[in-house]
Amino acid sequence: MALGFCIGVALLLSLWSRAETAGIPDGVLRMECHDRYFMIAVDLSFTGDEPHFEAVGETGAYAITQQYAAQCGYSINVHPLPGHVELRASYFSCQTQNKDDEMFTFNFNLNVTQEGKEVTYPLQDKTCSPSVPWSPREVTCETNYMEVSVRSEVTCPIWNKEG
Ligand SMILES: *[C@@H]1O[C@H](CO)[C@@H](O)[C@H](O)[C@H]1NC(C)=O
């Protein structure tokens, strides 16, 4: 029966998502929407010294290597003193879903080596709506990349100051 099947699928999905998000202890992970970037901080006591993140988009999961980070608007920095690793993502980073430049949805996986095995933890999607409106042109400098955003509907007058 169709209804029975739907309930079966719903149950399966809910069990599934619970199984997937289980595992990251409370208080280890923080996600914050800032005006110009999205931030994830994870305790090093959980990740170990070499955490690996993946950016998850519509076409799959991409390992955030140094090169990928610089090309795609991500920045990963280890802060041994408060003891966490921080991932910052530009609102215009490659795998971020952008809805009308107003709603941005981020999705990441975190790989952690536990007992010699690599375990993948999907982090919950997070949607941010920055409260500060975008200026026609914005320049962002991160530790590993610089980003220039130009709003496309603004037409720049083309003339030369020097004449
Ligand atoms: C994360 O772990 C999976 C499974 O072991 C692996 O396929 C993937 O390449 C890893 N990603 C990163 C960024 O290390």
Side-chain angles (χ1 to χ4, degrees):
M1 219 183 104
L3 186 62
F5 178 70
C6 283
I7 292 173
V9 170
L11 196 66
L12 190 68
L13 286 177
S14 70
L15 288 178
W16 188 339
S17 64
R18 199 164 323 146
E20 270 191 346
T21 46
I24 298 195
D26 280 352
V28 159
L29 173 74
R30 238 174 349 121
M31 296 194 194
E32 290 170 5
C33 303
H34 289 257
D35 285 340
R36 287 300 175 258
Y37 62 90
F38 172 66
M39 189 209 77
I40 293 179
V42 195
D43 284 7
L44 287 173
S45 59
F46 176 70
T47 63
D49 291 338
E50 281 192 49
H52 298 284
F53 288 94
E54 289 174 343
V56 182
E58 276 159 359
T59 53
Y62 298 83
I64 306 182
T65 59
Q66 278 193 7
Q67 188 186 355
Y68 189 79
Q71 285 172 351
C72 271
Y74 301 99
S75 163
I76 296 177
N77 295 290
V78 173
H79 299 284
L81 260 179
H84 61 233
V85 57
E86 192 179 279
L87 164 66
R88 289 204 259 181
S90 157
Y91 281 103
F92 301 99
S93 48
C94 294
Q95 302 307 324
T96 301
Q97 287 173 48
N98 174 343
K99 192 154 177 291
D100 305 326
D101 286 352
E102 279 169 9
M103 267 174 51
F104 300 83
T105 302
F106 297 89
N107 192 353
F108 293 95
N109 290 333
L110 170 63
N111 274 14
V112 172
T113 306
Q114 282 168 346
E115 293 159 10
K117 275 202 309 199
E118 195 162 34
V119 181
T120 305
Y121 291 96
L123 308 181
Q124 203 112 59
D125 289 20
K126 176 97 174 154
T127 299
C128 301
S129 301
S131 52
V132 179
W134 303 102
S135 313
R137 171 174 294 191
E138 300 219 1
V139 178
T140 309
C141 291
E142 258 298 347
T143 49
N144 58 335
Y145 66 87
M146 193 179 130
E147 182 178 71
V148 181
S149 327
V150 181
R151 208 155 77 195
S152 53
E153 67 263 45
V154 176
T155 43
C156 299
I158 301 173
W159 46 263
N160 189 329
K161 250 194 293 191
E162 265 97 330

